[in-house]
Amino acid sequence: MSASRSAQLPRLLSRAAKLATPATARLAAIRASARQMSTTRVSTRSNGLRTAPFVRARQYSSKSYPEHQLVGMPALSPTMTQGNVGQWQKQVGDRIEPGDVLVEIETDKAQMDFEFQEEGYLAKILAPTGTKDLGIDSPVAIIVENEADVAAFADYSPDAKAEAAPAQEAAVAKEEAKETAAPAKASTSSPVESGDRIFASPLAKMLAKEKNIDLAQVKGTGPRGRIVKADIEGFVAPVVEKAAPAPAAKAPKAAAKAAPAAPSVSAGYTDIPLTNMRKVIATRLTEAKSTIPHYYLTQNITMDNVNKLRKSLNSAANGLYKLSVNDFVIKAAASALRDVPDVNSSWQGEFVRQHHHADIAVAASTPAGLITPIVRTCDAKGLKAISSEVRDLVTRARANKLKPEEFQGGSFTVSNLGMFGISSFSAIINPPHAAILSVGTTETKLVLDEASEKGFKAVENMSVQLSADHRVVDGATGALFLKAFKGYLENPLTMLL
């Protein structure tokens, strides 16, 4: 008898040790396991070249759906907060190989290809072509590993049915019930707060976000008032929020009856929806004009020598290149920035950044709006290289094929409306640049000339205006820049030295 008890003693001690493990420790272990998820690396491509942002694609499995990846809207540029869904390059059931283009995404500045870097099958498209203003990480598609699992998502709808929790989440819910022996009245109390924090389970938070429910209005039925899944599913908005005096309640109905019918085709206006690019332009230029202390300096430049040199170089090009006046303007601006580096700077809030090279943004008009592709290191390039690069960038900008690094950054901006016959204009600074040069058309003017028999002569004159940020560029510094700029254009051979 004693020998039998001695044999069972190790097993009894091991069982007692397991029972002695605190519930909180077991709960922490389960939570750590539940937080483990896979992340899919993706890249974007525009015109055959890649960048490398990341997009979350979590692994899920539940009783209702097989294991799958929920792919979110990627952030394809630093300024992107939402995007529009373009043409899907894959259809439901198609196999996806690493590097395949999944869908085209319209960002705030360009149309880009979204490449997926994992193998699998497209099981469901959650954001069809034409979906507008979809926030970053919002679900766009579901990917599965096995082709046989595709059919299981035929009727999947993120709005009609929330994503089922993993098995670990169910374990967490069971452990939460055992975590503490809370009084019965805690089940109807408001959620426990610590400062601004509201206690809720991860699944409850996810469901609340999908249904746009404010957790502060939800009464938790979990331990110590913790909000759980059932609280979100059974939540009904308080009637108090909709309550109003009887007369006021009838007012909307009366207003609805009095509301005019939709405008007929003969109405004198058309409402045009805003594109992402137009929204960004509106936001950035409003911010620039209202927060940057602009000042303006104007200079007149004689363009006779530039026109002669341009004609001579183009005639000797044999069709290899064709220089424009704007190419000379960009090169002269880069040379002047080298001479007056204080203008080649940008405001960074706590400091001023002075750039070592003249990366000049060239304002270009596209059907979707204004964009500023950047010609890098203009100070180190010749006229031929600048001309070729400007033509390529502008062509691809109008085709919506620029990469983010081709229109973000830079140190100075040139905006030329001379080809439209505009004599002069005041441009708005393109932040964080400290200045922008607005260029007008070339006009023939009569000027005094003592060497001429008539006492005057006709010259080709071009007017330019510098808009500068007074936080960075003082007035005298801006004047020095325009003086140097004028010198290079009136003596263009000095740009070649």
Side-chain angles (χ1 to χ4, degrees), residues 102-179:
L102 196 60
V103 62
E104 295 177 355
I105 300 295
E106 180 188 344
T107 70
D108 50 356
K109 288 291 186 181
Q111 186 94 5
M112 305 186 68
D113 293 339
F114 172 23
E115 293 182 359
F116 201 70
Q117 297 300 318
E118 296 288 338
E119 295 182 355
Y121 294 87
L122 180 58
K124 185 73 174 181
I125 294 176
L126 302 178
T129 297
T131 302
K132 303 288 186 180
D133 302 333
L134 200 60
I136 300 302
D137 286 344
S138 297
V140 297
I142 290 178
I143 306 295
V144 296
E145 292 186 3
N146 302 315
E147 187 176 9
D149 294 336
V150 172
F153 296 88
D155 58 348
Y156 177 90
S157 174
D159 296 329
K161 185 173 182 179
E163 186 71 43
Q168 293 94 333
E169 185 68 31
V172 171
K174 293 180 181 179
E175 290 294 334
E176 285 177 349
K178 300 177 183 179
E179 187 176 3

Side-chain angles (χ1 to χ4, degrees), residues 45 113 115 127 161-162 205 239 250 277 316 324 394 417 434 451 465:
R45 176 172 61 90
D113 293 339
E115 293 182 359
K161 185 173 182 179
K205 291 180 180 178
V239 181
K250 295 179 181 179
M277 180 182 289
S324 68
V394 172
L417 294 180
Q465 186 175 91

Side-chain angles (χ1 to χ4, degrees), residues 47-299:
N47 200 29
L49 298 178
R50 299 181 182 177
T51 54
F54 288 85
V55 161
R56 286 182 223 162
R58 297 182 177 178
Q59 293 275 6
Y60 290 99
S61 62
S62 68
K63 296 179 181 178
S64 302
Y65 298 102
E67 185 174 291
H68 58 283
Q69 296 177 326
L70 191 62
V71 182
M73 169 67 74
L76 304 183
S77 73
T79 59
M80 180 179 172
T81 59
Q82 58 187 17
N84 298 339
V85 179
Q87 188 67 36
W88 281 89
Q89 303 301 316
K90 296 290 184 179
Q91 301 301 319
V92 173
D94 287 354
R95 178 170 177 79
I96 301 173
E97 299 288 347
D100 283 354
V101 176
L102 196 60
V103 62
E104 295 177 355
I105 300 295
E106 180 188 344
T107 70
D108 50 356
K109 288 291 186 181
Q111 186 94 5
M112 305 186 68
D113 293 339
F114 172 23
E115 293 182 359
F116 201 70
Q117 297 300 318
E118 296 288 338
E119 295 182 355
Y121 294 87
L122 180 58
K124 185 73 174 181
I125 294 176
L126 302 178
T129 297
T131 302
K132 303 288 186 180
D133 302 333
L134 200 60
I136 300 302
D137 286 344
S138 297
V140 297
I142 290 178
I143 306 295
V144 296
E145 292 186 3
N146 302 315
E147 187 176 9
D149 294 336
V150 172
F153 296 88
D155 58 348
Y156 177 90
S157 174
D159 296 329
K161 185 173 182 179
E163 186 71 43
Q168 293 94 333
E169 185 68 31
V172 171
K174 293 180 181 179
E175 290 294 334
E176 285 177 349
K178 300 177 183 179
E179 187 176 3
T180 179
K185 62 181 180 180
S187 63
T188 59
S189 63
S190 297
V192 177
E193 298 186 10
S194 176
D196 294 332
R197 182 182 176 188
I198 298 176
F199 289 96
S201 69
L203 180 58
K205 291 180 180 178
M206 182 179 69
L207 292 177
K209 183 177 180 181
E210 292 178 354
K211 297 183 178 183
N212 295 322
I213 296 176
D214 185 0
L215 290 175
Q217 298 180 0
V218 182
K219 290 184 178 181
T221 59
R224 295 184 295 178
R226 185 183 181 94
I227 299 173
V228 295
K229 176 184 176 183
D231 299 327
I232 301 299
E233 293 178 338
F235 173 76
V236 178
V239 181
V240 179
E241 295 183 358
K242 299 180 180 179
K250 295 179 181 179
K253 295 182 179 179
K257 292 180 180 179
S264 66
V265 292
S266 61
Y269 60 86
T270 301
D271 293 331
I272 302 174
L274 295 177
T275 62
N276 281 349
M277 180 182 289
R278 180 55 57 188
K279 291 178 182 178
V280 171
I281 291 172
T283 300
R284 285 177 60 82
L285 293 186
T286 300
E287 178 185 358
K289 192 62 176 176
S290 59
T291 62
I292 297 176
H294 287 59
Y295 74 89
Y296 309 96
L297 300 174
T298 302
Q299 183 68 275

